[in-house]
Amino acid sequence: MESRCRFAFLCSIIPFILTGCWDEVEIDKQVFIAAVAIDLAEDSDEEALVEVTEHLIVPSALGSVTNPRPGKAYHNLSSTGKTIYETAKAISRQESRKANVEHLGLVLISREFAETEGMLKNIFDVFIREQYMRRGILVVITEGKAKEVLHIDAEHVSLPSVYIVDMLENDQTTMTKDPVKLGDIHEKLLTNRSYSLPYLSVVTEKILKYDGVAVIAEKPSRMVGALTGDISEDRHFISGKARQSVVTIQVEGNPATLEINELRSRYVLLNENPDALHFRVDIELDALIKEYVGQLDLYDEENMKIFTEALENEVHKRAVRVLEEVKDGMQVDILKFDDFLRIHHNELWEEIKNDWDYGENYFADSDITIVVEANIESPGTSLKGNQ
Amino acid sequence: MSKSHFADDRIQSLDIMVALPSIVIGVGILSFPSTLAQSTKFADGWVVVILGGLISIFFTWAVTKLGAKFPHQSFYSYASHLVSKPVASIIILLFSLNGIFLTAFEVSMIGFISHQYLFEQTPREVVSIAFFLAVIYAVAGSRSGIFRINLLFSPLIFLISFILIFFSINFMDVDHLLPLFKTGMDGYVEGTIQSALSYSGFGVLFFYIAFVCDPEKVPKRAVAGMSSVVCLYLFIYLTCIAVFGHAPTGEIRWPFIELAQSVEIPGGFFERIEAVFFTIWITAIFTTAMIGFDITILALQMIFPKRDKIVLIFILAPIIFFISLLPKNYMENHYFDIFIGYVSWLLPMIVVILFWIMYRIKGGLENGK
Amino acid sequence: MTRRSLFRRSKVKSAMKRDNQEETINEPKITTDLDENMKTIKDVLGNPADLVVRELIIGEIETRAAIVYLSGITEEDLLNDNIMKAIQQNLKRFDDDLLENIRKEVIAVTDIKNSNDFDDVCLAVLNGDSAFYLDGSQEVLLMGTSGGQNRSIEEPDTETLIRGPRDGFVESMNTNMALIRRDIKIPNLRFEQHTVGGRSKQKLVVCHVEGLAHPELVEEVNRRIKSIDLDYVTDSSFVEQWIEDSFLSPFPQVLDTERPDVVSASVMQGKVGIIVDGSPFALIAPMTFNDGLSSPEDYTQRWLAASSLRLLRFLAAFIAIFLPGLYVALATFHPGMIPSTLAYSIAASREGVPFPAVIEAILMALTFELLHEAGIRLPNVIGQTIGIVGGLVIGEAAVNAGIVSPIMVIITALTAIASFSIPSYSLSMGLRTLRFIALLAAGTLGLYGIILVFIMIVAHIVNLKSFGIPYTAPFGPLYLQDLKDGIIRVPMTDLPRQTAHLKMSDAEFEHAPNEKRKNKKR
């Protein structure tokens, strides 16, 4: 009986092997898309809305560790169309091999595109819906045309996409600490919350710069502005992620530079009236003195107070500047006050969540007080300032 | 061929403990967090996971306790004692139909999910039939072989789940879990029903308990087996919520697979483990389909004792495969899913309640005959 | 077993009929006439060149006698010193029952017995014993003089160890039995002798320890050995293939070993050893999958090292079956799963390779099998060249010529290494065959195909049994106690004395079949 069963089984399995392989595509017959740039379509027919540029890897030009090859190992193809998927299909007509999106790790969007109302929300959908794409895809906004960035001719790596991803993930300064992944955006989109994206600009033909963050409002869905330079870094004083950020203060006319070693921020809601919300942000920080050319004795209680006060004032000043820019200027909450309300004041949040930073905009109407408490942890290896 | 040291159809209570998770864990868990996230808020689903789990544990206990009252007796024999022969035959037919549909559903799901994560062009029929042939091959073997397969696969399934959960820790955000207890009463009730539905499968115990050599231990072991499933579901649910957040979990079709897609194992050989994960998960779906099929055959053999097992398999296989091809799109499959969920819950539930009532009235069999 | 004998039945019957006819025509018998006896034995054996018939006259008695033996398989020193001399120089006179007196007083050999059956005599002579014919007597003395040239005890080549005993089995059954005796010093050690082979009779012993081995297991082994219906058995592998449960399976169900310590250890676990005369490989039954991956080294090394080696071998078994398949599946179906940089470099390395990855993998696997086969056939001295040819010419040149990609060479090499690290050679051969199936499945259905093959292999081995013991014990039917010697090997102090899956309690035995019957009745 068993052998008859086995025989029947063999007979039925053979057709599979004979019919062949539907999904088989040799790895060398595929072309990997490492990054996608999205721009507004220009001057073509009026139907087209987006211009998609695919950044394709040419593996054979990459060389190996023992046998590196100079020159670029990528090529970029562009096309325009109504939706991303449609455009991608159009691009595939220019390709000689089957496109593979499984190694897509980066999406670049031009500022111009992001600022156009309603565009941003629509393009993310395809990246989330397509099962071969990862939720870990990094998303950035570029100052100029996004496709220009993909033509950057970096000197140390052969692929612009690798250059950008490294820049986003590994360069751990305060500003660049949190690369934004597609999965994060998905969550924001579903809950209708605003968010920020890394903001890059081209410095020269060979160098890119991490400028700051682009602020995306959810309703209407568009980019409302960019926080660049110090402000983008200073927002972390409020959000509480400002480790390793550097603050320079003036102590009796001499500059002193301190590095923030540890920073905690806590939000407190003082007034629950939706029309006059009042928050207090408690910032506690520990700092290390890194550079000081004054003459004060650092082992003096009084002197330390001077330092502490100066630091507190400086941080307070910067935090207030951020608030002015974000709350009063852009009127968009990227500082996670919404999460705070959702978790700690859920009833209130349910009431106002649909008018938080749009519509009624309770966020812009709220008052925020900032309280800073600094602690100087160590003066470094020398006790006195050097003249 | 030879006199064996092990009587072939005899199993231990330990095997039941392992078989229960094997049949409960299948395709349900893949979409489970999503279903719960739709009816409850934030991480409150854990309450309903446990509530639903307790209900299923209770029924598991009820089924096995009843079975233990009739040690070493087939379902048919004690069912006919309790509710007369014709009714017993009808119940058994219903169970075999349930088994047929369950197997067909798993086979059809394999086709759908692998189209989503593994294949694009390969015809769904081919994917399904390849899987189904493996099921047939396993079912054609001995029954103790089936239990051994469960023993070998279940550690694998638990292991891959916990590896996944472990590596998700990096991606978790505790903020996603807060605040607690914000769901309304309606949400809890609906969620409990939903979560209880995903624990369906304890009906098989009616049949397998007859082969157990130590039936008095079975209720305890079966409850332990079911509890392990509840624990696993709880961990998976919380991980999904913590990683994705509440709203996306509700929106994602198969959050558990998506979890594998988001997780990056540091320094791992695999960059994306969702294909590996799903591939290993196929073994979980396999065990469910296998037991479903085996129950069908076992049930039918009680009604048609003269028919050879292999003959039954070859008669049933085309029918099951045909049913599995019926759903043409994801909506039809979804309705199939709901149908299967309710049937495999209600049938054993009604039967066990009925049997307990009858048992109270009629009492057990004398001298075990 | 039954199926096979059914298959063979008609053939066997006709053979038996033929034998019977031959015997009735001229059935050789032992008579009282010495000359006639000599003629008979010469006729039957065809008077070969190595047949020695030494006629002699017994010293004082002056009666004719003859010693018959086959030179080469007889220990002639013993024959000359202890038998010939003693007989010729015999000074005594015996009155009654000459043969009995010679046996008792003259011949100085320990192993001696009487026989009056010609078949017995013939078989004894063929086994290397000497037959002593006395004129006027219808009985023959058979003296245990078998011996002759044998290989000395050496370290087995196929199963070398870093730490452990260095002796290996030889072709002589008696020596082999002695080797086991030396290891196991308990009176309960049993050697049960069988004769197998329809035409050429070969000696075979079944070895077990009474009280440790389950009586039913021993009975079953004996029953199967008795059922062997082969014309001749020169090696234990013949026996193995005849008595195993499922002869179609790629997995061996009887363990073979050249090491006496392995047999002793197994016998002390309650298993049964089978030694066939003329074969340096002993068989051990029953065997589980875990046994195939265990090595004596696991017990001579300290537990941590031993456990990691066990784990490593499980990994090796997995690699040996699935690695080429996995590579093919990843490269052709799921390139997204490979880390980006690796994917690019694989793509780059495959650039210009004319074959699809499956064909490439099959080609390389076949090449490897060829090299392996050639390496075995060649004498050791030239064997080295195969390494050079394989490594340099096939590997290096094929890559340079662009026929295969370098990654594929790495994959093939890894698979080969993994398959050789499995202690049981027959198991590793089986796994290597399965590799091709995994490869084909991967080529058609990718990872999905591989997992289906995996499921099928599992479904196959859980239904396999070796003499009633499930092949997947202790994992299959779970024996918690035995897991201590499963994937890991716990410290010696915690190790169970006897594995539980072999130690079926008697109560369980008696009840099981009854219950089954009861169930069936209903």
Side-chain angles (χ1 to χ4, degrees):
Chain A
M1 206 77 241
E2 204 189 335
S3 71
R4 227 196 296 168
C5 167
R6 218 173 255 151
F7 179 71
F9 178 75
L10 277 178
C11 286
S12 42
I13 201 109
I14 283 168
F16 287 114
I17 295 160
L18 295 180
T19 44
C21 348
W22 293 267
D23 278 299
E24 190 201 356
V25 184
E26 295 297 326
I27 195 166
D28 51 318
K29 303 286 180 287
Q30 309 191 7
V31 58
F32 296 102
I33 303 173
V36 170
I38 294 162
D39 292 294
L40 272 186
E42 296 167 341
D43 57 66
S44 52
D45 56 305
E46 57 279 5
E47 288 264 300
L49 292 170
V50 291
E51 179 180 8
V52 177
T53 307
E54 289 182 354
H55 182 64
L56 307 163
I57 306 292
V58 182
S60 53
L62 276 173
S64 60
V65 182
T66 50
N67 183 21
R69 291 183 198 182
K72 60 174 200 174
Y74 62 93
H75 65 131
N76 296 334
L77 294 176
S78 307
S79 184
T80 55
K82 263 186 290 184
T83 63
I84 305 271
Y85 198 75
E86 192 189 291
T87 321
K89 285 284 167 200
I91 294 175
S92 69
R93 276 180 251 135
Q94 304 171 23
E95 285 160 359
S96 58
R97 291 171 176 181
K98 187 176 184 261
N100 182 314
V101 293
E102 291 178 56
H103 286 285
L104 179 62
L106 181 66
V107 174
L108 302 152
I109 300 164
S110 73
R111 180 174 185 157
E112 196 188 2
F113 183 88
E115 279 174 344
T116 314
E117 198 175 311
M119 296 295 271
L120 212 47
K121 194 167 185 168
N122 298 335
I123 63 156
F124 285 131
D125 188 70
V126 70
F127 293 108
I128 292 162
R129 196 169 297 279
E130 171 70 42
Q131 68 269 21
Y132 293 109
M133 299 206 190
R134 277 174 288 173
R135 296 177 70 83
I137 296 176
L138 302 175
V139 184
V140 291
I141 303 278
T142 60
E143 194 186 17
K145 280 249 166 210
K147 66 176 179 185
E148 315 270 282
V149 177
L150 288 180
H151 285 289
I152 283 284
D153 184 19
E155 281 174 334
H156 59 297
V157 282
S158 49
L159 295 172
S161 60
V162 173
Y163 177 33
I164 301 168
V165 171
D166 279 355
M167 183 183 232
L168 292 173
E169 280 184 341
N170 300 339
D171 183 16
Q172 293 284 325
T173 63
T174 341
M175 198 197 287
T176 60
K177 199 168 286 166
D178 39 354
V180 179
K181 293 178 175 170
L182 200 62
D184 307 335
I185 298 178
H186 187 203
E187 189 195 338
K188 299 288 182 188
L189 290 178
L190 287 170
T191 46
N192 290 324
R193 301 268 59 88
S194 306
Y195 52 94
S196 57
L197 292 174
Y199 185 64
L200 298 184
S201 64
V202 180
V203 180
T204 67
E205 256 180 24
K206 293 183 173 177
I207 300 168
L208 280 174
K209 191 180 160 203
Y210 198 135
D211 252 355
V213 290
V215 177
I216 316 287
E218 226 344 85
K219 259 184 192 174
S221 176
R222 68 184 198 90
M223 174 176 164
V224 290
L227 297 176
T228 51
D230 282 349
I231 293 188
S232 82
E233 208 167 309
D234 292 345
R235 78 183 198 283
H236 288 303
F237 286 131
I238 297 175
S239 66
K241 287 180 188 165
R243 229 182 260 178
Q244 279 156 29
S245 90
V246 172
V247 180
T248 304
I249 52 175
Q250 293 292 326
V251 183
E252 296 183 345
N254 293 319
T257 303
L258 293 95
E259 190 181 74
I260 292 175
N261 190 30
E262 183 73 55
L263 186 139
R264 294 163 298 277
S265 79
R266 205 161 59 91
Y267 296 171
V268 181
L269 182 64
L270 300 173
N271 181 0
E272 293 212 8
N273 177 8
D275 293 320
L277 289 169
H278 189 190
F279 295 97
R280 193 183 75 221
V281 181
D282 296 331
I283 302 171
E284 280 176 44
L285 53 90
D286 297 337
L288 312 169
I289 298 174
K290 288 286 175 185
E291 228 180 300
Y292 172 53
V293 286
Q295 276 193 312
L296 291 179
D297 182 1
L298 297 175
Y299 253 75
D300 191 288
E301 189 88 8
E302 289 299 314
N303 291 341
M304 204 181 105
K305 251 183 205 154
I306 297 173
F307 266 89
T308 315
E309 254 169 49
L311 178 63
E312 282 172 357
N313 289 338
E314 178 68 20
V315 170
H316 187 269
K317 197 178 84 193
R318 288 191 181 197
V320 169
R321 203 174 64 189
V322 171
L323 279 182
E324 276 167 9
E325 186 83 16
V326 173
K327 184 169 80 75
D328 305 331
M330 295 174 181
Q331 306 202 335
V332 167
D333 175 17
I334 55 163
L335 297 169
K336 298 203 168 172
F337 282 96
D338 49 0
D339 267 349
F340 163 72
L341 284 181
R342 180 177 64 80
I343 293 167
H344 297 284
H345 301 276
N346 197 258
E347 284 79 13
L348 176 67
W349 173 245
E350 289 296 322
E351 195 183 312
I352 61 172
K353 71 174 178 188
N354 291 325
D355 283 309
W356 177 239
D357 56 0
Y358 40 82
E360 291 274 317
N361 210 332
Y362 293 109
F363 173 64
D365 294 344
S366 65
D367 285 323
I368 298 173
T369 316
I370 287 174
V371 180
V372 185
E373 201 174 303
N375 172 35
I376 297 189
E377 204 174 80
S378 146
T381 48
S382 70
L383 295 179
K384 270 188 185 172
N386 303 315
Q387 194 73 47
Chain B
M1 197 174 269
S2 65
K3 265 197 289 173
S4 66
H5 281 224
F6 294 82
D8 225 16
D9 285 341
R10 228 165 28 86
I11 51 182
Q12 297 171 333
S13 54
L14 201 69
D15 293 323
I16 292 284
M17 189 170 99
V18 181
L20 200 56
S22 299
I23 187 161
V24 177
I25 301 173
V27 288
I29 180 69
L30 301 178
S31 57
F32 172 75
S34 169
T35 329
L36 284 199
Q38 282 163 19
S39 50
T40 56
K41 284 186 176 170
F42 308 111
D44 289 349
W46 68 269
V47 179
V48 300
V49 176
I50 291 176
L51 280 180
L54 284 177
I55 296 175
S56 340
I57 289 173
F58 171 73
F59 276 104
T60 310
W61 179 83
V63 169
T64 46
K65 195 75 190 166
L66 185 77
K69 303 264 183 207
F70 301 94
H72 311 306
Q73 290 189 42
S74 75
F75 180 68
Y76 188 52
S77 83
Y78 69 82
S80 3
H81 165 75
L82 291 173
V83 290
S84 81
K85 270 205 164 102
V87 181
S89 304
I90 291 169
I91 289 173
I92 286 172
L93 264 182
L94 285 175
F95 268 113
S96 60
L97 276 178
N98 182 11
I100 289 176
F101 281 119
L102 179 68
T103 316
F105 172 67
E106 303 288 330
V107 171
S108 115
M109 269 316 259
I110 279 283
F112 276 101
I113 306 182
S114 16
H115 252 222
Q116 185 76 23
Y117 289 100
L118 293 175
F119 301 116
E120 271 178 337
Q121 259 92 56
T122 311
R124 197 153 57 79
E125 293 76 16
V126 174
V127 176
S128 299
I129 203 168
F131 175 77
F132 193 43
L133 283 172
V135 173
I136 294 174
Y137 181 73
V139 173
S142 66
R143 184 148 297 128
S144 46
I146 287 174
F147 281 92
R148 277 175 221 147
I149 291 178
N150 289 335
L151 271 170
L152 294 180
F153 281 166
S154 53
L156 198 67
I157 293 161
F158 277 87
L159 191 73
I160 186 81
S161 307
F162 281 108
I163 287 178
L164 198 56
I165 290 169
F166 180 76
F167 283 109
S168 305
I169 290 174
N170 244 338
F171 297 82
M172 285 185 193
D173 185 353
V174 184
D175 281 356
H176 286 146
L177 297 176
L178 298 170
L180 299 173
F181 303 115
K182 296 295 174 196
T183 313
M185 213 44 220
D186 297 353
Y188 281 127
V189 172
E190 200 200 322
T192 308
I193 295 172
Q194 290 293 344
S195 93
L197 278 179
S198 17
Y199 295 115
S200 63
F202 57 84
V204 299
L205 296 178
F206 274 126
F207 293 87
Y208 283 143
I209 201 162
F211 301 107
V212 182
C213 53
D214 43 357
E216 68 286 348
K217 281 189 200 155
V218 169
K220 224 166 86 186
R221 291 267 163 87
V223 164
M226 203 60 171
S227 310
S228 69
V229 180
V230 177
C231 284
L232 182 72
Y233 274 36
L234 186 65
F235 277 118
I236 291 172
Y237 175 74
L238 289 179
T239 311
C240 283
I241 295 284
V243 170
F244 298 125
H246 167 249
T249 308
E251 290 292 317
I252 297 169
R253 205 161 153 213
W254 288 305
F256 196 28
I257 303 182
E258 207 75 14
L259 193 64
Q261 201 164 5
S262 338
V263 169
E264 284 159 28
I265 294 183
F269 182 72
F270 300 120
E271 181 155 288
R272 299 151 50 112
I273 58 167
E274 95 270 7
V276 177
F277 168 76
F278 175 64
T279 312
I280 294 178
W281 207 255
I282 288 175
T283 57
I285 302 172
F286 171 82
T287 49
T288 310
M290 176 181 72
I291 296 182
F293 200 177
D294 188 52
I295 282 297
T296 312
I297 287 160
L298 191 59
L300 287 179
Q301 269 185 322
M302 288 174 183
I303 308 179
F304 309 109
K306 298 245 170 76
R307 289 275 164 273
D308 198 18
K309 185 173 174 182
I310 301 292
V311 176
L312 277 177
I313 290 175
F314 278 110
I315 294 171
L316 286 176
I319 301 172
I320 291 176
F321 189 62
F322 175 72
I323 296 173
S324 82
L325 291 183
L326 286 180
K328 283 282 168 265
N329 56 35
Y330 69 98
M331 275 319 286
E332 286 175 20
N333 210 43
H334 182 60
Y335 293 133
F336 198 7
D337 186 4
I338 294 172
F339 168 73
I340 291 291
Y342 278 101
V343 169
S344 23
W345 238 96
L346 290 179
L347 181 63
M349 194 171 87
I350 293 169
V351 169
V352 76
I353 292 172
L354 177 72
F355 278 17
W356 267 108
I357 295 170
M358 294 310 288
Y359 178 75
R360 287 278 168 244
I361 298 169
K362 285 196 175 177
L365 292 166
E366 281 80 34
N367 307 327
K369 292 281 163 188
Chain C
M1 210 54 35
T2 45
R3 178 148 32 103
R4 190 160 27 194
S5 37
L6 275 175
F7 182 68
R8 276 286 193 100
R9 191 183 285 159
S10 51
K11 212 170 153 190
V12 173
K13 264 184 186 167
S14 65
M16 273 166 62
K17 217 179 279 171
R18 201 174 55 233
D19 287 350
N20 285 341
Q21 279 169 354
E22 277 169 19
E23 275 165 28
T24 42
I25 291 169
N26 56 352
E27 202 175 320
K29 269 185 183 155
I30 297 174
T31 59
T32 47
D33 182 16
L34 186 67
D35 294 325
E36 200 172 316
N37 282 338
M38 291 304 105
K39 193 175 169 294
T40 321
I41 197 152
K42 278 180 186 166
D43 281 352
V44 170
L45 295 177
N47 200 9
D50 59 347
L51 180 72
V52 178
V53 179
R54 173 75 161 85
E55 289 193 32
L56 61 157
I57 294 177
I58 302 172
E60 200 78 345
I61 314 165
E62 294 189 343
T63 316
R64 285 179 65 220
I67 295 175
V68 179
Y69 65 93
L70 289 166
S71 67
I73 56 172
T74 315
E75 224 170 297
E76 292 190 13
D77 284 349
L78 181 78
L79 205 60
N80 291 335
D81 295 347
N82 296 15
I83 301 171
M84 287 294 284
K85 264 189 203 158
I87 293 172
Q88 285 179 332
Q89 294 166 1
N90 176 37
L91 299 173
K92 280 189 181 169
R93 278 198 155 274
F94 306 113
D95 309 323
D96 54 331
D97 201 351
L98 202 53
L99 195 74
E100 191 58 29
N101 281 312
I102 290 176
R103 169 194 159 125
K104 277 185 179 157
E105 296 187 30
V106 183
I107 297 175
V109 174
T110 46
D111 179 14
I112 187 162
K113 60 186 183 227
N114 289 27
S115 174
N116 54 8
D117 180 31
F118 182 77
D119 283 350
D120 267 5
V121 174
C122 204
L123 193 64
V125 170
L126 286 171
N127 266 326
D129 291 349
S130 315
F132 177 80
Y133 282 84
L134 188 71
D135 193 25
S137 166
Q138 218 177 342
E139 288 212 3
V140 178
L141 290 184
L142 298 176
M143 301 166 291
T145 55
S146 68
Q149 288 301 310
N150 255 325
R151 196 163 60 93
S152 62
I153 296 171
E154 289 161 4
E155 187 180 6
D157 281 339
T158 54
E159 290 165 83
T160 42
L161 289 184
I162 303 291
R163 190 170 172 185
R166 297 252 181 255
D167 53 346
F169 283 131
V170 294
E171 281 76 2
S172 152
M173 187 179 82
N174 289 336
T175 318
N176 292 348
M177 281 161 69
L179 286 174
I180 294 173
R181 277 267 186 229
R182 274 185 215 164
D183 282 353
I184 307 178
K185 294 180 178 72
I186 43 176
N188 284 6
L189 181 64
R190 300 279 179 269
F191 288 105
E192 202 167 322
Q193 186 160 339
H194 294 265
T195 314
V196 290
R199 291 178 183 277
S200 158
K201 309 265 188 245
Q202 196 73 1
K203 279 186 289 185
L204 176 156
V205 286
V206 174
C207 155
H208 71 272
V209 175
E210 201 171 308
L212 285 181
H214 203 283
E216 264 189 42
L217 173 67
V218 181
E219 194 186 301
E220 179 66 23
V221 172
N222 285 330
R223 189 185 68 76
R224 289 194 194 178
I225 285 172
K226 276 176 195 141
S227 79
I228 292 178
D229 178 31
L230 288 167
D231 270 357
Y232 72 109
V233 175
T234 53
D235 191 80
S236 55
S237 53
F238 289 64
V239 177
E240 175 186 343
Q241 291 173 60
W242 192 276
I243 64 173
E244 66 187 357
D245 292 64
S246 172
F247 52 93
L248 290 175
S249 170
F251 293 91
Q253 295 131 58
V254 179
L255 198 67
D256 57 284
T257 179
E258 246 186 304
R259 304 189 63 89
D261 54 321
V262 175
V263 177
S264 323
S266 305
V267 165
M268 287 304 283
Q269 288 280 312
K271 293 181 186 173
V272 173
I274 299 165
I275 302 167
V276 180
D277 199 18
S279 167
F281 286 92
L283 304 177
I284 298 166
M287 172 200 181
T288 63
F289 186 70
N290 198 26
D291 291 336
L293 295 180
S294 316
S295 148
E297 195 99 68
D298 291 349
Y299 303 96
T300 57
Q301 292 300 332
R302 303 187 62 254
W303 79 275
L304 204 58
S307 297
S308 19
L309 286 179
R310 274 275 173 87
L311 280 170
L312 197 66
R313 280 190 224 115
F314 272 89
L315 185 71
F318 185 81
I319 289 177
I321 308 180
F322 291 116
L323 188 67
L326 268 177
Y327 167 74
V328 169
L330 289 184
T332 54
F333 284 85
H334 318 283
M337 280 171 49
I338 316 170
S340 301
T341 40
L342 182 60
Y344 301 154
S345 74
I346 291 180
S349 76
R350 273 195 52 77
E351 199 89 32
V353 174
F355 310 111
V358 199
I359 305 295
E360 193 191 349
I362 293 177
L363 271 181
M364 282 308 279
L366 280 177
T367 314
F368 160 68
E369 294 296 329
L370 266 177
L371 282 173
H372 174 57
E373 192 61 18
I376 294 173
R377 299 288 158 261
L378 285 173
N380 276 343
V381 196
I382 327 175
Q384 308 280 346
T385 20
I386 275 299
I388 299 163
V389 172
L392 284 180
V393 182
I394 310 279
E396 186 78 23
V399 169
N400 284 341
I403 298 172
V404 292
S405 60
I407 301 265
M408 195 66 236
V409 177
I410 298 174
I411 300 281
T412 312
L414 256 179
T415 316
I417 293 167
S419 78
F420 287 133
S421 64
I422 294 166
S424 163
Y425 184 67
S426 41
L427 182 61
S428 115
M429 288 291 275
L431 298 184
R432 268 158 55 195
T433 323
L434 289 175
R435 180 178 48 158
F436 286 94
I437 297 173
L439 208 46
L440 283 178
T444 19
L445 290 170
L447 268 183
Y448 185 72
I450 290 186
I451 195 75
L452 288 187
V453 168
F454 175 70
I455 288 176
M456 304 270 284
I457 291 175
V458 170
H460 172 70
I461 61 170
V462 294
N463 282 314
L464 263 192
K465 280 183 176 180
S466 171
F467 291 86
I469 299 296
Y471 202 58
T472 41
F475 317 109
L478 193 61
Y479 291 97
L480 290 173
Q481 191 67 13
D482 289 358
L483 288 183
K484 286 181 176 178
D485 194 6
I487 295 180
I488 56 160
R489 203 273 288 169
V490 296
M492 205 56 102
T493 44
D494 285 347
L495 214 56
R497 287 207 179 155
Q498 200 192 346
T499 41
H501 67 269
L502 293 168
K503 195 168 56 181
M504 301 296 295
S505 73
D506 289 315
E508 224 173 317
F509 249 114
E510 281 158 21
H511 288 134
N514 296 342
E515 262 168 37
K516 196 179 163 191
R517 231 170 285 141
K518 253 190 237 164
N519 277 328
K520 272 197 176 161
K521 259 181 205 165
R522 292 195 193 92

